[in-house]
Amino acid sequence: MLRYADLVLLALALPIFVVAGWPLAGYAAAAGAWCAQHVILAYADRASVAALRRGERNRALGIVGVSTLGRLWLVTLAVLLVGLLGDRQDGLAAALLTLALVTVHLACLALSRLLNPAENA
């Protein structure tokens, strides 16, 4: 459950954006990029585990590295583009939502590894 806490936060943020009158373009850009990077993460996790099972450590490390950088660029470019193509408020809303999502994602990842060390070995 901890693994998807960021997606729960993303779902809870929509009504907050609507009620507060915050820019929905910022929400849409951040949400779309965040969901896309989650799909990439899932495929990369499966591919790296499969490579490790075959004994291909370098390939697994490459998959993790490329997917991490790709996900970072995807989310960063989405925030940048919505800020440049829309209003600055759209970019700010996307950036703040993304900041919250990254913080929750990393905190829950660390917490899940602390609570389930055998599962991550």
Side-chain angles (χ1 to χ4, degrees):
M1 182 64 179
L2 282 175
R3 184 177 181 124
Y4 302 108
D6 55 337
L7 295 177
V8 172
L9 174 64
L10 183 62
L12 292 174
L14 180 58
I16 293 170
F17 267 70
V18 171
V19 169
W22 294 341
L24 291 180
Y27 177 86
W34 194 258
C35 290
Q37 74 84 26
H38 245 287
V39 169
I40 294 169
L41 175 62
Y43 283 119
D45 281 348
R46 288 186 190 124
S48 64
V49 167
L52 283 175
R53 285 188 183 138
R54 293 189 306 268
E56 300 172 346
R57 291 182 181 175
N58 288 339
R59 183 171 178 83
L61 183 60
I63 290 168
V64 170
V66 167
S67 70
T68 300
L69 288 175
R71 291 172 31 233
L72 173 67
W73 275 99
L74 173 71
V75 173
T76 303
L77 286 175
V79 171
L80 179 66
L81 287 175
V82 76
L84 291 174
L85 299 175
D87 289 337
R88 294 180 83 176
Q89 300 298 331
D90 297 338
L92 178 62
L96 292 176
L97 178 58
T98 300
L99 175 66
L101 292 169
V102 168
T103 302
V104 169
H105 177 73
L106 292 177
C108 289
L109 180 64
L111 191 58
S112 70
R113 291 184 186 244
L114 285 174
L115 295 176
N116 302 318
E119 183 179 299
N120 300 306

